[in-house]
Amino acid sequence: MKNRATAGRCNYGETHGTNRSYNRIYEEYSRMTLKNDSNPRTFPGLASRGLAALLAVVFAATFSGCHSTPKTQPATKTSSTAQHPVEPIKDTMTPAQRDARIAWWRQARFGMFIHWGLYAELAGTWNGKRLENHPGEWIMNRDRIPVADYKKLAATFDPTKFNADQWVAMAKASGVKYIVITAKHHDGFAMFNSAANKFNIVDATPFKRDPLKALAIACHKQGIKLGFYYSQDQDWTAPGGAALRGGHWDKAQDGSFAEYVHTKVIPQLKELLNNYQGEDAPDEIWFDTPTKDMTPELAGEIVAVLNKHPNVLWNNRLGGGYQGDFETPEQHIPAQGYPGKNWETCMTINGTWGYKSFDTDFKSTETLLQNLIDIASKGGNYLLNVGPDATGVIPKPERDRMLAIGKWLKVNGDAIYGTQPGPFTDQHGAYSTTKKDRKGNPRWVPVWDWRATAKPGTVYVSIFEWPHATFTLPAMQAKVTKAYMLADTSHKALKFSQSASGITVKLPGKAPDPIASVLVLQTGS
Ligand code: FHN
């Protein structure tokens, strides 16, 4: 039995070090929509190492802020209790219409997140000091950079090596079916042409081009769906925009949140939703970090705008009690998925979303690929992040890992795309009878031997630990009619036996793939 705590980084709640406290922030958002989530999603390993208390202190310190009472707090309202002044379009649809609307996303299973903005220019260093323990895109907030100083970065932002066709070709070769890029992150800088606010890449930089337009064209050409991330709540350069982790630090940030929503958020969302229609974009809007400032009424005004684009999906982070189309666990994989829900784990390849020149702590291809397979086996999507630098280049270690996943998917994609969880319930692990998590609940102990996905008439078993002889699976109801390795293009039948206690397959002596070899079981039904 493989223990990934020793084989690589475990991503069941135990996330990359630099993002631990950010994960705690995200948990606050998760509670808005996932009231009954009993999955042990936080730091099981750390608790056992006696660090839970320390993290609690770090969390309390970062949340309470060192300068003033935070202006904003994470929202706590749940969707079931929230008033919905404007009904999302999907709630007016029949189940069949709703399924059709999100079908492409459910089929996709693998997407590429891109965090790219002015912060890439700082690459994690401000005034000669490295930003440790925080992701690069948070540098303005963590270093309390004055608004005027931060805005000056635009004057030298000139990503001359940006090539949308190359980015999308790389994404495609990596096997991703959709891209989500930061149109505006918490720093308030628009990476698109915006008439609504001049702090944007076309008006404020020597680059003068709209990379989102170029990406929309390239995605359209290459058959990749495109989503825009938009920080609707936090905005550290617009008066009135929210600032988590200590509130505002510059008078230039003071103002009315409602006015900010009316003068910047809604006009820019309209731009994002309308200006790329020729390229059939966007396919989704990815909101982030809602606070209690986003009242049901303000969120409702945003929903009214979204409703004019009924096919555009949006996630569960708008705020105001809105549930959105899909859940967004961050930096971890829920132990048993969220059965019956659409969900997507977003995750960094190293420890940062936005580029940091000195973060070289990249997860292994093995970990990333097994994460993808694990997520698919639980019915979710994997949105894996890359952070291009200020010249417009996606760092090579990130490209290499993405492409390695793509190489595997080229052979084994049938086991991922368009699949549902497999028929076996006990493949992912079990709750410990002796160990507790930090809340005192039984700790989830994952097992990394194999994962199963399924399509009608076929079960795919991705084997991580090659048994070198016979391989035994638990019992399943459907009758297996043929077994073969997906990597074997001749589909040569493997010997197997099936009984009430399980299925035993005689595997080839050598694993077709060093990370995950897919056994296909065809079934009568
Ligand atoms: O604060 C952001 C963070 O910078 C990053 O964008 C992630 C991606 O999901 N979302 C927020 C934290 O939850």
Side-chain angles (χ1 to χ4, degrees), residues 84 172 191 194 318 353 356 448 504:
H84 284 167
K172 197 165 176 165
M191 291 291 284
S194 174
L318 170 60
W353 302 94
K356 255 169 108 170
W448 288 100
T504 300

Side-chain angles (χ1 to χ4, degrees), residues 26 29 113 115 137-138 185-186 229 286 288-289 317 330 346 353:
Y26 178 63
Y29 311 141
F113 218 168
H115 274 68
E137 71 285 358
W138 272 75
H185 202 264
H186 310 330
Y229 168 111
W286 215 98
D288 208 359
T289 64
R317 300 193 189 184
E330 177 166 322
C346 56
W353 302 94

Side-chain angles (χ1 to χ4, degrees), residues 180-488:
V180 180
I181 183 164
T182 47
K184 181 189 83 131
H185 202 264
H186 310 330
D187 64 357
F189 181 68
M191 291 291 284
F192 58 100
N193 191 12
S194 174
N197 190 292
K198 292 292 164 204
F199 189 43
N200 72 70
I201 190 163
V202 176
D203 290 310
T205 77
F207 188 61
K208 292 192 189 312
R209 279 161 44 204
D210 180 346
L212 265 47
K213 187 75 176 178
L215 277 171
I217 293 168
C219 282
H220 197 231
K221 215 164 40 190
Q222 299 190 46
I224 299 287
K225 301 271 186 192
L226 181 64
F228 295 146
Y229 168 111
Y230 189 86
S231 178
Q232 80 290 3
D233 202 316
Q234 290 200 79
D235 190 315
W236 306 326
T237 50
L244 282 168
R245 300 195 140 222
H248 293 158
W249 59 91
D250 183 327
K251 275 206 212 49
Q253 296 167 321
D254 291 347
S256 143
F257 183 77
E259 201 175 318
Y260 151 71
V261 170
H262 291 142
T263 58
K264 186 165 181 182
V265 176
I266 289 180
Q268 286 198 329
L269 281 172
K270 284 182 180 164
E271 291 174 339
L272 288 171
L273 288 162
N274 290 314
N275 293 356
Y276 305 87
Q277 292 280 306
E279 294 78 30
D280 291 333
D283 295 288
E284 62 172 85
I285 299 283
W286 215 98
F287 295 113
D288 208 359
T289 64
T291 72
K292 69 175 171 46
D293 290 346
M294 187 59 78
T295 59
E297 290 70 30
L298 285 171
E301 290 183 47
I302 292 174
V303 171
V305 174
L306 292 163
N307 279 351
K308 297 217 161 68
H309 302 266
N311 291 328
V312 175
L313 305 175
W314 43 282
N315 66 351
N316 67 336
R317 300 193 189 184
L318 170 60
Y322 281 96
Q323 207 160 16
D325 290 296
F326 53 92
E327 310 298 330
T328 53
E330 177 166 322
Q331 298 286 40
H332 70 274
I333 304 169
Q336 291 164 305
Y338 299 140
K341 287 176 182 285
N342 298 306
W343 62 275
E344 173 194 72
T345 281
C346 56
M347 195 180 282
T348 51
I349 291 183
N350 49 1
T352 183
W353 302 94
Y355 179 68
K356 255 169 108 170
S357 61
F358 48 93
D359 187 339
T360 53
D361 194 8
F362 299 102
K363 297 177 184 74
S364 67
T365 299
E366 181 189 35
T367 291
L368 298 169
L369 180 52
Q370 290 184 352
N371 284 348
L372 171 64
I373 298 166
D374 183 38
I375 289 168
S377 78
K378 297 168 181 172
N381 283 9
Y382 196 25
L383 184 65
L384 194 52
N385 183 72
V386 296
D389 67 18
T391 69
V393 171
I394 297 172
K396 187 169 182 314
E398 296 178 2
R399 275 185 281 140
D400 288 348
R401 282 157 179 77
M402 293 297 298
L403 290 169
I405 296 173
K407 206 167 152 204
W408 184 89
L409 281 167
K410 208 158 188 220
V411 177
N412 299 293
D414 282 355
I416 303 293
Y417 304 123
T419 58
Q420 293 299 311
F424 313 107
T425 50
D426 46 3
Q427 59 186 292
H428 298 114
Y431 286 101
S432 168
T433 49
T434 51
K435 292 175 185 147
K436 305 272 186 221
D437 67 16
R438 68 188 170 85
K439 290 180 188 156
N441 298 320
R443 187 191 309 170
W444 178 259
V445 182
V447 174
W448 288 100
D449 290 350
W450 53 270
R451 293 288 183 268
T453 55
K455 284 179 201 157
T458 312
V459 174
Y460 302 92
V461 185
S462 297
I463 304 171
F464 305 149
E465 281 293 286
W466 192 252
H468 291 292
T470 52
F471 176 63
T472 303
L473 285 162
M476 67 182 214
Q477 262 189 345
K479 190 172 153 25
V480 177
T481 53
K482 182 177 177 181
Y484 62 90
M485 297 309 297
L486 190 53
D488 173 7

